[in-house]
Amino acid sequence: MPRGRYSLHDPHDHTPLAEEHFHCAPGPSGWRYVSQLTTPAGEHSGSVDLTLDELGRPLRLELHAGGWQVRGAALDGVTWVRTDPAGAHATEGNVRAHAFTGTSPAFLIATTRLLRLTPSDSANRVRLVALTDPVLAPRTVDQSWALVNRQTHATDNGPLAVDAYEVTALDTGERHVVHIAGDVVLAAPGIELEDLDSPPSTFA
């Protein structure tokens, strides 16, 4: 069960945004990721709890940020309930999308589990519902993903396969590269892996 810490920053000016302390592991249902977020000053700022089924679909999602809460799952596409900070109003949403995405590195892992690309494979259109800080407002985005490179590195714990994905935002054409090993993001725009106390889990 990998445990570690990501630092999150603005991908454009590198302003520190948060630290995300996480643990994750494959399980009977698929894969689960749990994390707590803190501000650069060390104050609690949110949490992520995501469970995927064996096909990579979101069985259960619970996000907290800025007093807002979102609970969601794969149901007729993806369905969610978003609650305001006062808890007085709740709004429901449903989109014919494949999965959720957001600020947390968990969503990058979740998308790779859903797509299961092999080297030189690509997914031309992936529709996702983005729930991003600070208020978790839902926004539908379309992306394409391609697994452009896979390299195996020797480590003290045995070979480690690192996948490089090219992700393209279909509305703007902006591209970036995400490096993932097992169920851990090694590097992505706005994300750096700072600490990891055990090797990434591998998926069958």
Side-chain angles (χ1 to χ4, degrees):
M1 178 186 294
R3 292 178 177 268
R5 175 173 57 90
Y6 294 109
S7 62
L8 309 181
H9 57 267
D10 187 296
H12 302 291
D13 63 13
H14 300 287
T15 300
L17 300 176
E19 290 197 339
E20 186 162 343
H21 300 259
F22 73 94
H23 62 273
C24 57
S29 63
W31 181 73
R32 188 177 183 198
Y33 177 101
V34 177
S35 70
Q36 299 290 326
L37 287 94
T38 57
T39 67
E43 299 175 349
H44 181 263
S45 61
S47 63
V48 178
D49 190 341
L50 173 64
T51 301
L52 306 180
D53 68 12
E54 59 184 7
L55 298 178
R57 298 170 300 191
L59 272 180
R60 177 180 177 273
L61 170 67
E62 185 169 333
L63 298 179
H64 293 264
W68 295 86
Q69 174 183 285
V70 171
R71 291 182 176 178
L75 182 65
D76 294 328
V78 294
T79 298
W80 67 91
V81 176
R82 178 174 177 264
T83 306
D84 63 289
H89 304 284
T91 56
E92 297 183 5
N94 172 265
V95 172
R96 289 287 183 179
H98 297 91
F100 296 100
T101 191
T103 307
S104 173
F107 295 110
L108 298 175
I109 302 296
T111 302
T112 65
R113 296 306 305 147
L114 184 71
L115 299 178
R116 298 173 186 255
L117 301 177
T118 57
S120 77
D121 271 358
S122 63
N124 292 329
R125 182 178 294 270
V126 184
R127 176 154 289 182
L128 303 169
V129 174
L131 303 163
T132 53
D133 298 339
V135 296
L136 303 179
R139 180 172 60 93
T140 303
V141 299
D142 291 317
Q143 299 176 341
S144 70
W145 282 64
L147 179 50
V148 294
N149 189 26
R150 174 174 289 164
Q151 294 185 336
T152 301
H153 301 269
T155 72
D156 293 341
N157 298 295
L160 180 67
V162 177
D163 291 338
Y165 293 89
E166 184 179 77
V167 183
T168 304
L170 296 182
D171 57 346
T172 65
E174 182 180 0
R175 297 182 179 183
H176 61 267
V177 176
V178 175
H179 292 90
I180 291 176
D183 59 355
V184 173
V185 176
L186 301 182
I191 299 169
E192 295 292 339
L193 179 64
E194 302 290 352
D195 292 309
L196 186 66
D197 69 357
S198 59
S201 301
T202 55
F203 295 100

